[in-house]
Amino acid sequence: MEINFRPMTLADLDGVLVIEKASFTLPWSREAFYNELVHNRYAKYVVMEHDGRLVGYCGMWVVVDEAHITNVAVLPEYRGKKLGEALMRKMMDMAKQLGAVTMTLEVRVSNEVAQSLYRKLGFLNGGIRKRYYPDNQEDALVMWVNLT
């Protein structure tokens, strides 16, 4: 499957919101993405395309030498094809190029599929954020990886 990565633009927001709503119980708003793209100098967002269609995206903040994944999502019909892995590897490479030496993210404690992917990429458990997700008060597992 041929995929293409490129920086997210404001013109991508309709497609990103489709992915967001299909992926999360508390999807980010258009305004949240707009603010990330326009006002957050630490934010880097990438979209993933297949045959000209947005099928996934990922965002991160890079502050000094640390990258923090803000969100990552792939359309449900494109999951299980290693596209999430490709997207995360792209972000890890980008973070390294931007000077990050570590990367972190939060994942629902119940999301074993995502945790398995992150472990495959070298992420290790770093702690728990209690009641992190406001929709159901689920805890978040904090994971870290060294990029060097």
Side-chain angles (χ1 to χ4, degrees):
M1 176 178 290
E2 188 174 323
I3 55 172
N4 178 53
F5 298 101
R6 62 173 176 76
M8 184 187 294
T9 68
L10 293 176
D12 294 318
L13 291 185
D14 287 342
V16 167
L17 289 170
V18 168
I19 299 166
E20 182 77 0
K21 289 174 184 169
S23 300
F24 300 111
T25 56
L26 286 175
W28 279 22
S29 66
R30 175 181 298 276
E31 181 181 17
F33 283 105
Y34 177 89
N35 286 331
E36 286 290 284
L37 294 175
V38 174
H39 300 297
N40 185 346
R41 67 185 177 118
Y42 303 108
K44 304 293 180 197
Y45 281 78
V46 169
V47 294
M48 181 172 56
E49 297 175 311
H50 171 65
D51 288 338
R53 180 182 185 198
L54 289 187
V55 298
Y57 73 91
C58 187
M60 69 178 166
W61 298 338
V62 180
V63 181
V64 188
D65 63 352
E66 182 181 305
H68 185 138
I69 296 292
T70 56
N71 39 19
V72 57
V74 174
L75 279 174
E77 61 267 33
Y78 286 87
R79 293 178 191 161
K81 302 176 189 309
K82 305 211 180 282
L83 296 180
E85 179 179 344
L87 187 53
M88 283 297 297
R89 288 189 188 280
K90 175 70 173 173
M91 298 306 281
M92 292 169 79
D93 288 344
M94 180 187 297
K96 280 190 261 190
Q97 291 172 5
L98 294 169
V101 296
T102 60
M103 179 177 272
T104 188
L105 54 77
E106 293 90 10
V107 59
R108 287 179 184 267
V109 293
S110 64
N111 191 344
E112 294 177 11
V113 172
Q115 289 175 40
S116 176
L117 167 62
Y118 302 143
R119 285 190 186 96
K120 178 180 179 179
L121 295 170
F123 282 82
L124 300 172
N125 294 3
I128 298 287
R129 294 194 200 281
K130 291 288 190 186
R131 297 177 298 282
Y132 182 78
Y133 294 97
D135 62 328
N136 64 357
Q137 305 304 302
E138 185 173 357
D139 294 346
L141 173 63
V142 181
M143 301 183 81
W144 289 87
V145 67
N146 287 322
L147 298 172
T148 56

